[in-house]
Amino acid sequence: MSLTVLMNAGPWLSVPPPGYGGIENVVATLVPELRRLGVRVVLATVDSSSLPVDEKFSVFQDGQFHALQRPYNQVCGISQAHLNGVVRLLHSRDDIDLVHDHVEAVGLATLAAMGPDAPPALHTLHWDLAKHPALYGNLDGGDRVRVNGVSAAQLARAPQALRDHSVGHVHLSTPLAVDAHRRPPVDKGDYVIILGRINPGKGQDLGARLARRVGVPLVLAGPVGPYHRPEDLAAAGDEARQNPDVRFFHDEVAPHVDGDLVRWVGTVAGQERDDLLAGARASLFPLRWEEPGGTAVVESLAVGTPVVATARGCLPELIEHGRTGLLTTDEDELGDLLLAASVLEPGECRHEAAARFTPAMMAQRYVQLYDRVRQLTAARRLQPV
Ligand code: UDP
């Protein structure tokens, strides 16, 4: 009998995403592999998503990412409306064997509150688990809701109540890792890249200062809050400063962006993104937070670009210092490591991606976790009350 999974990707971006979108990229990588393994996938997403699935369910026509960083009282109804639709869908049918949820906080809370008759659920934690202590520190999944992390380092930071619900971690994957070791080498440019949303935790301000200090050209690629292109941010005017990432960019990053040594190119997508990443001598992660899963780290390895990073979060788990990247706990040392990165071998990075981060490996691991979650729920249901 084939398994039917309701994959809840949430209301923020379409799947696959138009450019930026870590969770949506992971869902877009996982779903085709699950279907190849015979899993039926009902995708709860926005209607403009184009990923082939067995069924699509949506509340919103388009991704609501533009609203994500508005004040809470203006934005909280969006994820709630999406989840409300998902709950009604689950109540209306009996063929969903398991829910695989990716919606921060509200997905977990809603599924846990659904009661014993709802399907078993696996909620993937894509976030820093020091967040949401009131929820994570008191979680009661009713023996039906389990969680998984995206790295061991991330789960190690979780409060005990959340860890009690964990069935382990699954590293993130990217289609770029498939046969990455067979890909011909790419001519490297002289620049380094930071790929990701522009945010204090990702440390673009530090990266820009370091690049200027050591004289290495730096490309910043990614959105600033909801703004994907420099011209859109410029046109938005002062009102845009309500957004904390816009304030961070204007105050801490933009003073170093000279359009020459340090450039912000906005969000890059598709082949343009892959080529820009593959052509960099290194990708830089000057982190100020515990990076939970590192989609962009795995993508960098897959295209043969060594990683230079602060040794925080999942970085020591994903990167082997001296072989696939250079790590340090000392921010100041990052500049020297940028200069040293060209001694690392791009082929080693591609091999690592092909050996550890393929979509097929991620999907097989999730199928194991789906079985485990269903067994745990079934065992509990058989217990006498
Ligand atoms: N990304 C992209 N274009 C950009 C910036 C980022 O396609 O200009 C993608 C990137 O390739 C990765 C995701 O967005 O797949 C960002 O994921 P990451 O885990 O690094 O960041 P987070 O999810 O923490 O924002």
Side-chain angles (χ1 to χ4, degrees), residues 19-23 25 195-197 202 221-223 266-269 273 289 291 294-296 299:
Y20 167 79
I23 294 170
N25 271 333
L195 178 70
R197 77 195 134 88
K202 302 271 184 188
T267 299
V268 287
R273 180 197 67 176
W289 76 325
E291 179 79 32
T295 332
E299 289 164 347

Side-chain angles (χ1 to χ4, degrees), residues 204-250:
Q204 283 88 352
D205 56 327
L206 173 60
R209 273 187 272 121
L210 290 169
R212 288 177 66 134
R213 196 182 79 206
V214 297
V216 172
L218 172 67
V219 176
L220 304 174
V224 174
Y227 302 100
H228 291 283
R229 300 183 311 165
E231 52 271 38
D232 295 339
L233 180 61
D238 268 0
E239 211 178 298
R241 283 185 66 89
Q242 285 179 7
N243 181 300
D245 287 351
V246 171
R247 282 201 300 279
F248 167 69
F249 178 75
H250 279 314

Side-chain angles (χ1 to χ4, degrees), residues 3 97-98 119-122 143-146 167 366-383:
L3 190 73
D97 298 304
L98 179 127
L122 178 66
D143 294 308
R144 221 194 71 248
V145 177
R146 305 281 160 175
V167 286
Y366 271 117
V367 168
Q368 287 170 356
L369 295 192
Y370 297 164
D371 283 347
R372 175 102 182 105
V373 172
R374 293 179 73 220
Q375 279 164 11
L376 286 168
T377 304
R380 180 68 192 181
R381 282 178 180 163
L382 288 176
Q383 273 176 21

Side-chain angles (χ1 to χ4, degrees), residues 309-376:
T310 27
R312 295 188 69 160
C314 65
L315 269 294
E317 211 173 309
L318 303 184
I319 299 299
E320 189 181 322
H321 178 76
R323 188 168 71 85
T324 54
L326 296 171
L327 304 180
T328 177
T329 50
D330 176 1
E331 284 185 359
D332 284 338
E333 204 197 347
L334 280 173
D336 300 333
L337 297 189
L338 274 183
L339 295 172
S342 42
V343 303
L344 298 174
E345 178 49 53
E348 290 287 329
C349 300
R350 290 195 299 269
H351 266 94
E352 188 75 351
R356 291 180 64 201
F357 304 115
T358 66
M361 289 165 120
M362 177 170 72
Q364 280 156 12
R365 178 93 173 105
Y366 271 117
V367 168
Q368 287 170 356
L369 295 192
Y370 297 164
D371 283 347
R372 175 102 182 105
V373 172
R374 293 179 73 220
Q375 279 164 11
L376 286 168

